[in-house]
């Protein structure tokens, strides 16, 4: 099964089961975003509420370092990162996450996508690229970031990506 087909199964078969009584599928899909903007632009704010979800964690600003020559994806939220004993993709646990990020250097862009972490990180969609961004999704997929483009001539560049995130857990009203 291709990643695209797997993603369709996740969204149309598994996620609706998590959202029974909460939201119809169109509303659930509207919560999933992947936005990249130029460095000087603002990104959306965190949601004030998510229907049938309760805010579990709001992490303070942190950073990850990525290198130009390294093409692997970095999973910035520790509990999702399989290299840090995390990893929640494909479990479709009933939670919703939001990640806001910005390059620490206006001359270096970042690539951002969502993916699964069953065997490392595997993107499930095309990446977007910019100086800042906003990603969100459900537990079936996790965010991934990596070095994008630079205006510097050297091929040994690195950049820190500053980020903050929220994790919301499913809390349906009965």
């Amino acid at each position: 099964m291709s990643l695209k087909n797997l993603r369709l199964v996740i969204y149309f078969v598994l996620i609706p089961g998590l959202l029974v009584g909460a939201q119809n599928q169109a509303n659930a899909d509207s919560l999933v975003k992947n936005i990249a903007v130029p460095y000087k632009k603002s990104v959306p704010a965190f949601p004030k509420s998510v229907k049938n979800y309760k805010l579990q964690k709001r992490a303070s600003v942190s950073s990850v370092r990525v290198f130009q020559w390294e093409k692997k994806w970095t999973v910035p939220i520790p509990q999702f990162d399989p290299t840090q004993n995390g990893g929640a993709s494909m479990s479709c646990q009933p939670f919703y996450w939001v990640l806001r990020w910005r390059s620490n250097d206006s001359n270096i862009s970042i690539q951002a996508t969502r993916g699964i972490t069953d065997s490392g990180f595997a993107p499930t969609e095309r990446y977007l690229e910019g100086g800042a961004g906003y990603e969100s999704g459900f537990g079936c997929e996790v965010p991934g970031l990596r070095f994008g483009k630079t205006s510097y001539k050297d091929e040994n560049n690195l950049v820190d990506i500053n980020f903050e995130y929220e994790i919301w857990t499913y809390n349906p009203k009965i």
Side-chain angles (χ1 to χ4, degrees), residues 5-171:
N5 290 340
L6 180 59
R7 185 168 185 239
L8 291 173
V9 168
I10 290 168
Y11 281 120
F12 294 107
V13 176
L14 299 175
I15 287 179
L18 295 174
L19 300 174
V20 170
Q23 304 166 340
N24 64 36
Q25 185 60 33
N27 288 341
D29 283 345
S30 69
L31 291 173
V32 177
K33 296 180 182 173
N34 192 15
I35 300 166
V37 298
Y39 179 84
K40 293 183 180 184
K41 296 275 185 174
S42 297
V43 295
F46 284 121
K48 291 184 170 110
S49 67
V50 178
K51 185 176 180 181
N52 286 321
Y53 283 79
K54 180 180 179 181
L55 182 61
Q56 173 192 353
K57 181 175 186 174
R58 177 176 288 141
S60 58
V61 175
S62 190
S63 67
V64 294
R65 180 164 288 169
V66 295
F67 300 89
Q68 183 175 8
W69 50 267
E70 191 172 63
K71 293 300 178 189
K72 75 173 189 149
W73 292 94
T74 297
V75 177
I77 300 175
Q79 82 181 59
F80 299 158
D81 185 353
T83 67
Q84 296 186 40
N85 294 325
S89 69
M90 294 307 298
S91 67
C92 293
Q93 293 178 8
F95 61 82
Y96 172 73
W97 54 267
V98 179
L99 175 76
R100 294 166 30 99
W101 58 267
R102 183 172 305 278
S103 174
N104 206 33
D105 186 328
S106 62
N107 294 307
I108 298 176
S109 66
I110 304 301
Q111 296 175 349
T113 191
R114 288 188 302 271
I116 57 176
T117 57
D118 291 346
S119 300
F121 182 87
T124 52
E125 63 183 59
R126 288 191 65 215
Y127 66 81
L128 296 179
E129 188 166 336
Y134 178 102
E135 290 186 83
S136 61
F138 293 93
C140 298
E141 295 179 300
V142 300
L145 304 171
R146 71 179 181 187
F147 197 100
K149 295 178 186 162
T150 180
S151 59
Y152 299 122
K153 302 291 182 214
D154 188 1
E155 291 184 12
N156 292 314
N157 291 300
L158 60 89
V159 69
D160 289 333
I161 305 169
N162 300 315
F163 68 92
E164 57 186 350
Y165 65 91
E166 289 183 345
I167 297 177
W168 297 72
T169 55
Y170 187 55
N171 188 27

